[in-house]
Amino acid sequence: MCGIIGYIGKNNPTEILLEGLKALEYRGYDSSGIALKKDNNIQIVKCVGKIANLEEKLRKEELLDCNIGIAHTRWATHGDPCEENAHPHQIGKITLVHNGIIENAFSIKKRLEKEGVVFHSGTDTEVIAALINQHYHGDMQDAINKTVKEIKGSYALAILNEDENKIYAIRCESPLILGIGKDEYFVTSDIGAILKHTNKYVLLGENEIVELTKDGYTITKDKKSIKRKVEVSNLKSEDASLHGYEHFMMKEINEEPILVDNFIKKYINNINDLPDLTNYKCIHIIGCGSAYYAGMVGKYFFEEDGLKVDIDVASEYRYRNIVYDEKTLVILISQSGETADTIAAMRKAINHKVDTLAIVNVDGSTIARECTYKILIEAGREIAVATTKAFIQQVLVLSLLSYKINPDDKYLDDLKQLPQQLKVLLDKTGFYKKLADIIYKQEDVFFIGRKVDYAISMEGSLKLKEVSYIHSDAYQAGELKHGTISLINEGTIVFGIITDEEIKDKTISNLEEVISRGAVPIYVGTEESGYKNQIIVPKVHKKLQPLLVVPTLQMVAYYVAYKRGCDIDKPRNLAKSVTVE
Ligand code: G6P
């Protein structure tokens, strides 16, 4: 979480940093701030909320005419999202921005307070500024090196020292790259923030210090010079406009048919480009949030293929005692490729010397780089915090991997129809709006399903709660009566996801059980039902069915959030890329 950008060069940094922050806003938007440096003056401007607030504040200030600046957008970890806790933080000569969490900040802070240091925020970050300031006696490299030996946790830092016209940067576990332009240099959490200026970048190893001046840069570790390759990104400075849509979430849902179509065309005659999962005795599927639910859909596909599959959220997997079979493949699913827990799970697998497969959207991301194999889902940049099109592409990849194990003509026939069917479903906007009308005043909504329909329920429920703030939960349909059924009241909405033929009747019985206790059902299936509220999607091969069902639930979630007046693209408290534990 949190996004960092720093600039040094021939231009005034303010606009460059603001633009960069906008591209990084997906990493958090609790507060933002900027520090500009000219000679010995450092000017800090910060405020609560989105980058637009900072932009407005900056317009009203008289800003330093300078060529050096650092900036930050925050997702609060330690300390509320108030202005005092917004970055940059300054202690003595040191001003810095930080992404990550310092786990021993509390004890260091206590010690420093006894030594007379006065802190102004509730953040862990201020402790780093205080330590560097304390260790600084004319040699910044020395001060930074001593500081990182004392702190525990994750960090990416861009640092200014009042005495020097330089930016220092260092990272450990959190991402940070060096960008190389023409007579200008950048540090940033994500190449996307600087692509308008350069596509040349250098990856930084852990605890390597980058020292940037307007004339160049050096990289050192423990004061020894390090040479690193200059990479060239093939990403484009992506278009972040709405193209007539009111929200990115709706724009991105509507991109699904074309993305699915492109992906099918790319792989259908080149299925051998995808890895063969039958080379492995056991598959572990790992992800967080929606990526985990995409993995759950994949688990049902692969189990149908006779594979042994274990699935877990990355935050649990990384700490479990996993007994690895030597022929295990660990599949890491992640839109961003930078989710901290998924990276930790990946490294655990790598340490156990098993193969890893990344299913990621962002090429060049940590997970894309470090896994044995990678499949890019090619969803394009996803801006809305709640994922939609990336989820669909992840499921499509898993479906194609499964098809490769068990080729089937019916699958191929249905696959060809899929983009068009999806387009038709998405065009029924009036229909989703009507469903939203019956949901948007609810306090609790439930989703039930069995097997793959349970995985779909989980994603449908997550989408609804994250964008509309309605409490929503998903249950395995058979489990509902072991407690949760007590929550069903007169009028409670229950979605029954019922696409799996083999188990259809069982879930219908469960739906009837809640109806007899007053619930209002919304039937989601492939054939007309007797229920008043229903979402009917075309019946297709079971390994493609989720690709038609989930988009309809995304549409419902969107319109419910819309009717409730929620901030659809940037729901409260969330961040698109969760780069801390
Ligand atoms: C956050 C996002 C979710 C996403 C999850 C995993 O919680 O809001 O939409 O599913 O992170 O992110 P990843 O980038 O690893 O797919």
Side-chain angles (χ1 to χ4, degrees):
M1 339 283 281
C2 303
I4 290 176
I5 176 162
Y7 174 87
I8 186 163
K10 54 188 181 318
N11 293 313
N12 185 298
T14 313
E15 287 305 321
I16 297 169
L17 295 178
L18 266 177
E19 249 175 40
L21 283 184
K22 285 181 194 161
L24 294 169
E25 203 169 16
Y26 72 90
R27 302 175 73 90
Y29 35 81
D30 286 332
S31 64
S32 60
I34 191 167
L36 302 171
K37 180 170 195 305
K38 187 177 173 65
D39 305 327
N40 294 96
N41 295 327
I42 294 182
Q43 179 182 20
I44 297 176
V45 181
K46 46 193 192 177
C47 67
V48 171
K50 308 222 170 94
I51 311 301
N53 301 357
L54 179 67
E55 196 168 13
E56 206 184 312
K57 196 163 175 185
L58 286 169
R59 303 258 175 263
K60 293 180 193 148
E61 301 256 343
E62 195 170 321
L63 299 173
L64 284 179
D65 180 16
C66 63
N67 312 89
I68 306 174
I70 56 175
H72 185 268
T73 182
R74 176 172 189 247
W75 187 85
T77 57
H78 289 52
D80 337 329
C82 59
E83 195 166 312
E84 295 75 53
N85 290 339
H87 300 215
H89 289 284
Q90 185 174 54
I91 290 207
K93 289 179 183 293
I94 304 302
T95 303
L96 56 76
V97 292
H98 167 221
N99 168 24
I101 292 180
I102 304 306
E103 287 159 9
N104 56 345
F106 185 71
S107 57
I108 298 175
K109 195 169 180 175
K110 285 270 152 275
R111 190 194 79 212
L112 290 173
E113 274 171 340
K114 277 194 200 133
E115 293 169 15
V117 178
V118 179
F119 290 93
H120 304 282
S121 78
T123 66
D124 50 342
T125 302
E126 223 183 340
V127 164
I128 315 173
L131 282 176
I132 299 177
N133 188 55
Q134 191 175 64
H135 290 306
Y136 176 65
H137 304 290
D139 184 339
M140 271 296 275
Q141 295 255 353
D142 204 37
I144 296 171
N145 279 328
K146 282 185 176 145
T147 299
V148 298
K149 287 200 173 75
E150 284 184 61
I151 54 178
K152 285 198 197 112
S154 57
Y155 46 86
L157 299 165
I159 312 159
L160 300 175
N161 169 10
E162 198 183 281
D163 291 346
E164 299 178 60
N165 284 325
K166 290 180 181 174
I167 298 175
Y168 290 87
I170 187 165
R171 64 166 287 271
C172 175
E173 287 184 25
S174 296
L176 195 71
I177 58 162
L178 157 67
I180 302 170
K182 195 168 174 330
D183 302 325
E184 54 187 6
Y185 300 89
F186 307 81
V187 280
T188 182
S189 319
D190 177 349
I191 182 95
I194 57 170
L195 277 174
K196 276 197 182 157
H197 310 281
T198 184
N199 60 354
K200 294 202 187 93
Y201 69 100
V202 173
L203 294 169
L204 301 172
E206 304 221 317
N207 285 332
E208 294 174 358
I209 299 179
V210 198
E211 202 174 311
L212 303 174
T213 66
K214 66 177 182 26
D215 303 315
Y217 68 90
T218 59
I219 305 176
T220 51
K221 184 155 186 184
D222 295 326
K223 293 211 161 172
K224 287 191 199 83
S225 170
I226 296 207
K227 288 264 165 293
R228 284 206 162 262
K229 197 172 132 222
V230 176
E231 321 258 351
V232 179
S233 167
N234 54 13
L235 293 174
K236 294 200 177 52
S237 167
E238 286 199 51
D239 183 7
S241 59
L242 283 158
H243 292 282
Y245 288 97
E246 209 174 329
H247 297 98
F248 284 105
M249 182 176 176
M250 186 48 86
K251 174 177 177 257
E252 288 160 5
I253 294 172
N254 277 288
E255 287 171 32
E256 289 168 2
I258 184 82
L259 293 171
V260 168
D261 196 35
N262 289 344
F263 203 83
I264 294 170
K265 284 184 179 134
K266 175 165 179 181
Y267 279 104
I268 205 57
N269 295 317
N270 301 300
I271 204 77
N272 285 335
D273 292 352
L274 298 175
D276 184 354
L277 303 196
T278 58
N279 289 334
Y280 297 92
K281 276 195 190 156
C282 179
I283 309 289
H284 294 178
I285 306 178
I286 311 300
C288 298
S290 293
Y292 168 68
Y293 298 136
M296 199 189 265
V297 172
K299 167 189 134 122
Y300 292 106
F301 294 162
F302 300 149
E303 282 182 347
E304 295 270 329
D305 299 325
L307 298 187
K308 190 170 166 226
V309 186
D310 183 12
I311 174 160
D312 207 348
V313 289
S315 53
E316 288 293 311
Y317 184 88
R318 63 183 289 184
Y319 294 116
R320 274 170 55 204
N321 186 25
I322 312 277
V323 180
Y324 288 92
D325 187 288
E326 59 175 308
K327 282 301 244 177
T328 298
L329 173 71
V330 180
I331 302 181
L332 289 310
I333 306 179
S334 174
Q335 187 282 129
S336 62
E338 296 295 352
T339 301
D341 284 321
T342 315
I343 291 174
M346 169 189 73
R347 291 195 177 141
K348 174 177 187 149
I350 293 172
N351 284 340
H352 282 85
K353 303 198 172 7
V354 295
D355 282 355
T356 48
L357 165 64
I359 298 180
V360 284
N361 195 27
V362 181
D363 199 8
S365 60
T366 306
I367 294 174
R369 287 198 315 269
E370 294 186 18
C371 279
T372 327
Y373 309 104
K374 75 173 170 193
I375 303 173
L376 298 174
I377 62 168
E378 298 180 16
R381 183 167 167 207
E382 200 178 51
I383 293 175
V385 166
T387 182
T388 52
K389 60 177 180 171
F391 177 90
I392 294 301
Q393 295 294 95
Q394 288 161 351
V395 172
L396 181 60
V397 169
L398 294 162
S399 174
L400 288 168
L401 284 168
S402 172
Y403 164 75
K404 179 170 172 157
I405 301 168
N406 259 317
D408 166 349
D409 288 346
K410 158 109 177 91
Y411 179 96
L412 272 191
D413 291 344
D414 288 356
L415 189 66
K416 287 178 198 145
Q417 309 298 325
L418 200 81
Q420 181 57 22
Q421 288 171 324
L422 184 48
K423 170 100 186 65
V424 171
L425 277 174
L426 294 179
D427 283 346
K428 296 180 180 174
T429 50
F431 169 75
Y432 303 113
K433 282 181 191 162
K434 277 196 193 130
L435 275 179
D437 281 343
I438 62 168
I439 301 169
Y440 82 103
K441 284 192 179 148
Q442 294 285 322
E443 286 182 1
D444 304 291
V445 172
F446 294 93
F447 288 72
I448 58 169
R450 288 168 184 257
K451 296 167 66 188
V452 79
D453 290 332
Y454 169 58
I456 296 172
S457 298
M458 293 297 281
E459 177 57 12
S461 168
L462 179 66
K463 212 53 38 197
L464 180 67
K465 79 179 106 182
E466 67 184 332
V467 295
S468 76
Y469 314 147
I470 293 179
H471 166 251
S472 163
D473 263 324
Y475 287 90
Q476 298 95 335
E479 192 60 18
L480 198 70
K481 42 181 164 316
H482 297 290
T484 309
I485 203 161
S486 67
L487 298 175
I488 303 297
N489 267 319
E490 200 59 40
T492 308
I493 300 278
V494 180
F495 281 80
I497 314 293
I498 305 176
T499 70
D500 187 325
E501 273 306 309
E502 287 159 29
I503 207 112
K504 184 176 173 179
D505 295 342
K506 305 269 179 205
T507 312
I508 289 183
S509 299
N510 300 130
L511 201 55
E512 288 297 328
E513 285 160 9
V514 292
I515 293 168
S516 56
R517 284 153 181 90
V520 173
I522 299 181
Y523 175 94
V524 184
T526 56
E527 282 158 13
E528 285 292 322
S529 70
Y531 297 101
K532 183 170 163 225
N533 304 308
Q534 54 177 11
I535 300 176
I536 306 299
V537 302
K539 183 167 174 51
V540 291
H541 191 286
K542 67 195 304 187
K543 288 181 185 168
L544 295 171
Q545 200 66 62
L547 295 166
L548 290 182
V549 179
V550 173
T552 68
L553 302 178
Q554 295 170 345
M555 290 294 266
V556 172
Y558 173 87
Y559 283 114
V560 172
Y562 190 95
K563 284 208 73 105
R564 288 167 66 91
C566 298
D567 191 349
I568 295 181
D569 286 337
K570 294 192 178 76
R572 69 185 179 208
N573 305 338
L574 298 184
K576 185 143 190 78
S577 183
V578 180
T579 56
V580 293
E581 271 199 84

